[in-house]
């Protein structure tokens, strides 16, 4: 077994690998860029080596610096995590030349499966179903249009070396191909150093199901069941679960055996994932197609660990050291249900725009996951596990992926795991930047999610007008009104105790008008009860002015509410929604009708940068006439390109930014007449 390994990655996956290596008695080496100098994974490792500036292209993607760090520290092996160099054949080959073990699959398997075009050819030759498409070299945009017309719309354009949702565009017509083809090429070149693109038929109502593969260097390959990854946004997974609510035992066996056969055809070993696109309209499960194989550890691996009890990182290390798998296919079971939500630095209330900055508060619902070696320990604390790589006061940088943490829950049933997600998300305190906690909580509560009727179009279909918060039922609204009234009395009670107040026998107000949305509620506090609109609410809670989280017990169930003081009440967040709550004493409330409403200014004539980023393209100039919906500029943020379009018809009056400029959030790019 290795005595020291280097982790060629950052963030939560670096922390994840370090924890398991530590349990195995293996020393660890971290490598870090300028932006990560104070990151948790750097402090956690036994040694740390600085490898360059903040951009990944100048640090984490430079193989020579990783190898130099191995030599300097005496690391015998490298775990690449996911992303960066994890699927780069040249990196694995360079390590082999230096007699440094690569904790991953053999070079020939990475080469065969890592290239989407070549992998489809191999899969087809092996008799595996593949999606109809064009897998040759595409010359230019006109050629892409010609191919797309032949395949039939809709089509998906993908960067050949892409992954993680990068370098992908869905085209419903010729116009979409013309607009998106060059963008896909640029994203592929910028993120992966490869601008080749392939085009394939997009299957309507598809489910994204993947099979976890684990093999050793002695010819043994197993499938560790499936994961359902259908809920995606911009082809980036948001929710993953294991097992899938769609897959039957017969389907699981058919998919698993086919994926094992494909893996054996390329001599695969280590952990890997075969991604399949499955027609949700075919209940037989026979309509599944090979999509791609990820020759690395997946972000969503914890859900597989939770239901199988198998530590995938440990197995990867043991396989790389030449050990034989101690498991057989018959040993692979399914125990319970696991769900993972990715907590991203993006604001769902503003069209999911990337959000960067400092985490002024970061307090997960349970401490970060620790690897104690126990089988059930992979399920976290009482079925709640948090894998993260950030800290309270740390910064989410523009240079890397926007994922902040992964929240994994395990339950005996799917509903139990989903309920645990909702409760844990309510307790997840995260401030300082936009995040998607409310959004994933809303998904967990959504009737369609609970039914298991999922497709990759779930988010687009269920939130066509964007996300505005999960709907709150009457019970939650009444509970919030009661909590707000209680907090208002507690604040007033503290205020009356301040020295120098007029009189010393006044009781704090106990009657409040609480307005949530368009509805107002009369809240009255008695000595042993709270009434909302004349009806008693069975509630127990504690609140001290200044608390940020209030946990109430209502009718025997728990409700956790994050609270932030506002001028006239509180901003209360729970159950996937933000509620601006106004609280006024009964005798003051009628006067609020006389307040003049403030009308916001019209900003529609300005093209405003919605997030910090780089202006990679400016599509118009001063004097140009533009139509509503026309692309005006392209801004790159968090390694993704975002096309900014005109809100209305007009003429460009002035341009305030140039291609290549770094833009701050709300910077004015151009103005229309």
């Amino acid at each position: 077994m290795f005595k020291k390994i280097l982790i060629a990655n950052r963030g939560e996956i670096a922390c994840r690998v370090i924890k398991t290596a530590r349990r195995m008695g293996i020393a660890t080496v971290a490598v870090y860029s300028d932006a990560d100098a104070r990151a948790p994974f750097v402090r956690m490792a036994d040694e740390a080596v600085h490898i360059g500036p903040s951009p990944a292209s100048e640090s984490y993607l430079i193989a020579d610096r990783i190898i130099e760090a191995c030599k300097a520290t005496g690391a015998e092996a490298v775990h690449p995590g996911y992303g960066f160099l994890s699927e780069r054949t040249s990196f694995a080959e360079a390590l082999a030349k230096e007699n440094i073990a690569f904790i991953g699959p053999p070079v020939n398997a990475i080469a065969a499966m890592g290239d989407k075009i070549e992998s489809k050819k191999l899969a087809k030759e092996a008799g595996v179903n593949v999606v109809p498409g064009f897998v040759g070299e595409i010359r230019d945009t006109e050629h892409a249009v010609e191919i797309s017309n032949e395949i039939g719309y809709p089509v998906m354009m993908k960067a050949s070396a892409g992954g993680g949702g990068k370098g992908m565009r869905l085209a419903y017509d010729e116009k979409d191909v013309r607009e998106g083809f060059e963008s896909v090429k640029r994203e592929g070149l910028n993120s992966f150093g490869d601008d080749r693109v392939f085009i394939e038929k997009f299957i309507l109502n598809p489910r994204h199901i993947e099979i976890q593969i684990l093999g050793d260097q002695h010819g043994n390959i197993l499938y560790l069941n499936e994961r359902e990854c259908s809920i995606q946004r911009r082809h980036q997974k948001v929710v993953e679960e294991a097992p899938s609510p769609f897959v039957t035992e017969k389907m699981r066996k058919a998919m698993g055996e086919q994926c094992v056969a494909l893996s054996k055809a390329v001599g695969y070993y280590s952990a890997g994932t075969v991604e399949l696109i499955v027609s949700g309209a075919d209940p037989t499960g026979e309509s599944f197609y090979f999509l791609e194989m990820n020759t690395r550890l997946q972000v969503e691996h914890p859900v597989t660990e939770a239901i199988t009890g198998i530590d995938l990182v440990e197995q990867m290390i043991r396989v790389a050291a030449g050990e034989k798998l101690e498991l057989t296919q018959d040993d692979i079971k399914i125990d319970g249900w696991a769900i993972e939500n990715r907590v991203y630095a993006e604001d769902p209330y503003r069209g999911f725009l990337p959000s960067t900055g400092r985490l002024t508060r970061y307090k997960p619902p349970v401490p970060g996951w620790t690897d104690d070696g126990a089988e059930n320990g992979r399920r976290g604390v009482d079925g709640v596990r948090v894998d993260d790589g950030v800290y309270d006061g740390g910064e989410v940088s523009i240079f890397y992926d926007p994922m902040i943490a992964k929240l994994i829950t395990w339950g005996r049933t799917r509903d139990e795991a989903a309920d645990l997600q909702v409760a844990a998300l309510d307790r997840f305190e995260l401030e300082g930047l936009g995040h998607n906690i409310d959004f994933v909580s809303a998904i967990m509560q959504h009737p369609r999610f609970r039914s298991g009727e999922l497709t990759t179009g779930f988010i687009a279909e269920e939130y066509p007008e964007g996300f505005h918060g999960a709907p709150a039922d009457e019970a939650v609204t009444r509970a919030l009104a009661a909590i707000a009234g209680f907090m208002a009395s507690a604040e007033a009670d503290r205020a009356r105790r301040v020295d120098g107040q007029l009189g010393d026998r006044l009781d704090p107000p106990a009657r409040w008008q609480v307005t949530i949305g368009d509805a107002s509620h009369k809240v009255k506090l008695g000595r042993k009860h709270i009434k909302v609109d004349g009806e008693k609410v069975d509630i127990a809670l504690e609140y001290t002015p200044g608390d940020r989280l209030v946990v109430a017990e209502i009718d025997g169930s728990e409700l956790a509410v994050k609270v932030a003081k506002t001028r006239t009440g509180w901003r209360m967040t729970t159950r996937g929604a933000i509620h601006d709550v106004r609280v006024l004493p009964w005798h003051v409330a009628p006067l609020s009708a006389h307040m003049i409403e403030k009308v916001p200014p019209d900003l529609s004539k300005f093209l405003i940068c919605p997030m910090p980023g780089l202006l990679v393209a400016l599509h118009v100039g001063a004097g140009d006439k533009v139509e509503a919906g026309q692309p005006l500029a392209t801004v790159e943020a968090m390694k993704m390109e975002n096309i900014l379009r005109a809100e209305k018809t007009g003429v460009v009056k002035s341009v305030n930014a140039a291609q290549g400029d770094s833009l701050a959030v709300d910077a004015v790019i151009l103005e229309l007449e």
Side-chain angles (χ1 to χ4, degrees):
M1 181 50 65
F2 307 118
K3 292 181 179 178
K4 184 185 289 188
I5 65 172
L6 181 145
I7 296 92
N9 217 296
R10 61 176 300 280
E12 65 87 15
I13 190 57
C15 293
R16 163 73 184 90
V17 176
I18 290 169
K19 289 171 185 174
T20 290
R22 179 184 293 165
R23 174 175 57 77
M24 296 174 69
I26 301 171
T28 55
V29 179
V31 291
Y32 65 93
S33 68
D34 289 346
D36 285 331
R38 298 175 63 190
F41 76 92
V42 176
R43 299 195 302 270
M44 190 181 296
D46 297 297
E47 299 175 64
V49 179
H50 177 252
I51 55 169
S54 300
S57 60
E58 299 175 40
S59 51
Y60 296 107
L61 288 171
I62 299 181
D64 288 346
R65 293 187 184 173
I66 306 294
I67 293 171
E68 287 170 11
C70 287
K71 291 179 178 178
T73 59
E76 305 159 80
V78 172
H79 195 301
Y82 48 75
F84 295 144
L85 298 171
S86 62
E87 296 177 282
R88 193 76 62 87
T89 53
S90 58
F91 178 56
E93 288 170 341
L95 289 174
K97 286 179 182 177
E98 300 294 340
N99 202 29
I100 300 169
F102 180 67
I103 303 176
V107 171
N108 64 294
I110 300 173
M113 292 290 102
D115 185 311
K116 288 185 173 68
I117 292 174
E118 292 304 316
S119 67
K120 284 184 180 296
K121 290 179 180 177
L122 282 167
K124 196 169 184 179
E125 289 170 5
V128 178
N129 289 343
V130 296
V131 180
F134 184 85
V135 293
E137 186 172 338
I138 301 173
R139 298 186 301 274
D140 51 28
T141 300
E142 290 304 319
H143 191 200
V145 169
E146 181 184 326
I147 291 166
S148 301
N149 288 337
E150 288 178 4
I151 294 173
Y153 295 99
V155 298
M156 179 69 76
M157 297 179 287
K158 291 185 182 181
S160 177
K166 309 295 189 300
M168 300 172 74
R169 285 288 188 281
L170 180 59
Y172 284 96
D173 52 33
E174 185 175 314
K175 179 181 172 221
D176 289 344
V177 176
R178 293 186 184 281
E179 280 187 10
F181 180 72
E182 289 299 327
S183 180
V184 172
K185 288 189 70 172
R186 278 198 305 272
E187 283 189 8
L189 187 62
N190 293 339
S191 296
F192 310 103
D194 186 340
D195 69 352
R196 289 178 302 155
V197 175
F198 72 94
I199 299 176
E200 66 184 9
K201 178 75 174 174
F202 182 73
I203 296 174
L204 296 172
N205 300 322
R207 296 184 82 114
H208 185 123
I209 294 172
E210 58 190 32
I211 301 291
Q212 176 68 57
I213 294 295
L214 180 64
D216 62 23
Q217 299 186 49
H218 305 276
N220 302 302
I221 300 181
L222 313 174
Y223 64 91
L224 275 56
N225 306 314
E226 80 285 351
R227 294 185 289 257
E228 172 86 57
C229 306
S230 294
I231 298 183
Q232 305 174 6
R233 195 187 70 78
R234 291 185 68 174
H235 317 297
Q236 181 83 35
K237 298 167 190 172
V238 177
V239 181
E240 299 104 348
E241 58 182 308
S244 164
F246 181 72
V247 174
T248 64
E249 186 58 43
K250 181 181 176 183
M251 292 164 60
R252 182 174 297 117
K253 188 172 187 291
M255 292 176 178
E257 289 178 351
Q258 184 167 324
C259 293
V260 166
L262 178 63
S263 302
K264 285 185 175 180
V266 293
Y268 199 88
Y269 58 77
S270 192
T273 296
V274 180
E275 300 198 352
L276 305 170
I277 191 164
V278 184
S279 172
D282 183 0
T284 67
E286 294 175 0
S287 301
F288 64 88
Y289 305 92
F290 171 77
L291 200 58
E292 62 182 325
M293 185 172 189
N294 292 310
T295 55
R296 54 170 167 80
L297 191 68
Q298 292 280 94
V299 176
E300 57 272 21
H301 74 273
V303 293
T304 295
E305 294 183 330
I307 66 165
T308 63
I310 297 169
D311 186 326
L312 286 169
V313 171
E314 178 182 348
Q315 293 300 322
M316 290 181 76
I317 294 172
R318 293 191 180 282
V319 167
E323 293 187 13
K324 188 176 181 180
L325 289 177
E326 296 181 355
L327 301 160
T328 66
Q329 192 63 57
D330 291 339
D331 295 325
I332 310 303
K333 308 296 182 186
I334 297 178
D335 181 13
W337 212 287
I339 298 175
E340 174 180 295
N341 275 304
R342 302 189 187 189
V343 178
Y344 281 129
E346 61 183 16
D347 191 345
Y349 294 102
R350 299 183 65 205
F352 296 94
L353 292 173
S355 182
T356 59
R358 193 162 300 283
L359 288 165
T360 57
R361 187 171 181 82
Y362 178 75
K363 190 175 181 183
V366 296
W369 178 74
T370 56
D371 187 356
D372 61 3
E375 182 176 319
N376 289 344
R378 293 179 196 106
R379 297 170 181 167
V381 180
D382 296 327
V384 179
R385 169 177 165 178
V386 174
D387 282 21
D388 59 14
V390 299
Y391 63 99
D392 196 9
E395 190 171 353
V396 175
S397 168
I398 64 171
F399 298 105
Y400 312 117
D401 190 87
M403 190 169 68
I404 297 171
K406 302 184 304 197
L407 178 66
I408 304 101
T409 56
W410 176 90
R412 286 290 169 196
T413 65
R414 186 169 184 266
D415 279 341
E416 186 181 327
D419 289 342
L420 274 173
Q421 280 283 343
V422 175
L425 289 163
D426 279 347
R427 286 177 172 268
F428 209 129
E429 299 180 60
L430 206 163
E431 299 173 13
L433 42 71
H435 57 77
N436 68 335
I437 286 177
D438 286 352
F439 179 62
V440 291
S441 178
I443 291 174
M444 293 295 98
Q445 301 169 68
H446 200 289
R448 181 174 163 190
F449 173 79
R450 292 298 180 119
S451 74
E453 296 297 321
L454 311 177
T455 70
T456 55
F458 177 93
I459 290 175
E461 292 159 9
E462 298 302 326
Y463 302 97
E465 304 300 322
F467 179 71
H468 307 290
D473 61 27
E474 185 181 348
V476 170
T477 302
R478 284 170 54 78
L480 291 178
I483 293 168
F486 184 89
M487 291 193 301
S489 288
E491 296 273 358
D493 185 53
R494 183 180 67 168
R496 77 184 178 95
R497 296 175 188 273
V498 177
D499 189 41
Q501 298 289 313
L502 180 63
D504 57 3
R505 296 181 180 275
L506 295 174
D507 289 328
R511 300 184 176 198
W512 305 92
Q513 177 177 289
V514 178
T515 303
I516 304 175
D518 297 327
S520 293
H521 306 273
K522 295 285 188 181
V523 179
K524 182 179 179 182
L525 276 70
R527 292 191 176 276
K528 294 184 178 180
H529 66 267
I530 300 177
K531 286 185 176 180
V532 177
D533 298 328
E535 294 183 17
K536 283 187 180 181
V537 176
D538 184 9
I539 186 170
L541 73 154
E542 292 183 6
Y543 172 74
T544 300
D547 286 352
R548 297 171 187 249
L549 182 70
V550 176
V551 181
E553 188 169 316
I554 306 166
D555 297 326
S557 61
E558 187 180 281
L559 182 70
V561 184
K562 293 183 280 281
V563 298
K565 194 80 176 72
T566 62
R567 189 172 60 85
T568 58
W570 282 270
R571 172 163 278 200
M572 305 175 74
T573 306
T574 190
R575 293 295 190 266
I578 297 172
H579 303 273
D580 287 312
V581 180
R582 187 174 64 183
V583 186
L584 298 171
W586 277 12
H587 66 283
V588 173
L591 302 177
S592 64
H594 301 288
M595 296 295 290
I596 298 173
E597 186 175 348
K598 189 174 181 179
V599 180
D602 179 17
L603 299 176
S604 62
K605 66 178 181 177
F606 298 103
L607 180 66
I608 297 173
C609 189
M611 68 285 194
L614 179 71
L615 183 59
V616 295
L618 196 60
H619 306 298
V620 293
D624 290 353
K625 184 178 180 181
V626 300
E627 301 292 334
Q630 179 179 336
L632 302 181
T634 301
V635 175
E636 182 185 287
M638 293 290 192
K639 300 191 290 183
M640 298 286 281
E641 289 193 357
N642 303 272
I643 298 174
L644 308 183
R645 302 177 185 273
E647 291 186 19
K648 61 182 183 181
T649 300
V651 176
V652 178
K653 179 180 178 181
S654 61
V655 177
N656 299 349
Q659 185 172 321
D661 285 357
S662 291
L663 303 176
V665 64
D666 294 334
V668 176
I669 299 173
L670 57 83
E671 181 181 354
L672 301 176
E673 291 181 354

